[in-house]
Amino acid sequence: MANAVTVNVSLKGVASQSLMDWYAKADNAIDGNRESDGQKGSCTHTALETNPWWRVDLLDVYRVTAVTITNRGDCCSERLDGAEIHIGNSLENNGINNPRCVVITTIPAGETNIFQCNKMEGRYVVVVIPGRSEYLTLCELEVNGIPAGNHLLNHHNNFYHYSNTH
């Protein structure tokens, strides 16, 4: 698995967010479209609230190598300043209590930045803006990772057990 190719595993995930605003659904961030104009329907948008969050359930545990975020380009790019990316298997506090990968210092308007997460394991990837009242907008979030389980070994062991029963 050392040479396994990582792919964007968020595309098949299930997204949710704290409170929706402007009809900007959570799954807009995992639609495969990096369009950064918030008026064109491909970005998320929470209501104005304290500690707004967005989360993707990857539906399996992955070793996350990187998280790629496209920021809004038509306005408000500073909203993501200080946001945090958390990765783990817990839904406690909406997944915010999971280990932190990174604090986002800034992503320029309309740009896409890659954040290395060093194979952190988790089913949930969460973006939160902690400690202030803000809108959270993501125009795309991509999660690159590989399955955490050693599926080839498990498959081999099942075959071995099966072949010994005959």
Side-chain angles (χ1 to χ4, degrees):
M1 290 291 272
N3 295 326
V5 175
T6 62
V7 296
N8 180 7
V9 296
S10 68
L11 292 172
K12 294 182 180 179
V14 177
S16 55
Q17 62 189 11
S18 47
L19 292 172
M20 183 178 68
D21 199 7
W22 296 97
Y23 305 102
K25 304 177 299 180
D27 60 358
N28 287 352
I30 55 171
D31 63 1
N33 182 354
R34 289 184 176 178
E35 173 59 59
S36 66
D37 184 336
Q39 306 300 314
K40 293 187 177 177
S42 184
C43 300
T44 69
H45 198 297
T46 67
L48 180 64
E49 60 184 317
T50 302
N51 303 322
W53 58 267
W54 178 95
R55 178 180 69 234
V56 62
D57 178 352
L58 301 174
L59 305 176
D60 202 352
V61 178
Y62 288 86
R63 288 189 185 108
V64 177
T65 55
V67 175
T68 303
I69 294 178
T70 301
N71 198 3
R72 187 169 174 175
D74 59 318
C75 83
C76 339
S77 64
E78 73 283 351
R79 290 178 180 167
L80 279 180
D81 295 355
E84 299 176 352
I85 301 172
H86 293 258
I87 299 170
N89 295 313
S90 172
L91 282 175
E92 183 180 343
N93 194 19
N94 297 304
I96 296 167
N97 291 356
N98 285 319
R100 184 174 63 200
C101 165
V102 71
V103 175
I104 299 169
T105 53
T106 190
I107 301 175
E111 291 196 13
T112 299
N113 283 12
I114 300 171
F115 302 94
Q116 300 301 322
C117 294
N118 301 315
K119 297 186 181 176
M120 290 178 70
E121 277 195 20
R123 174 176 172 170
Y124 304 105
V125 176
V126 181
V127 177
V128 61
I129 301 174
R132 73 178 199 259
S133 184
E134 188 61 271
Y135 297 99
L136 174 57
T137 301
L138 300 169
C139 290
E140 193 66 19
L141 185 137
E142 302 160 51
V143 179
N144 289 87
I146 55 176
N150 191 336
H151 298 292
L152 294 176
L153 179 60
N154 291 339
H155 176 73
H156 173 72
N157 286 344
N158 289 340
F159 178 77
Y160 177 77
H161 291 301
Y162 173 78
S163 64
N164 280 338
T165 61
H166 286 68

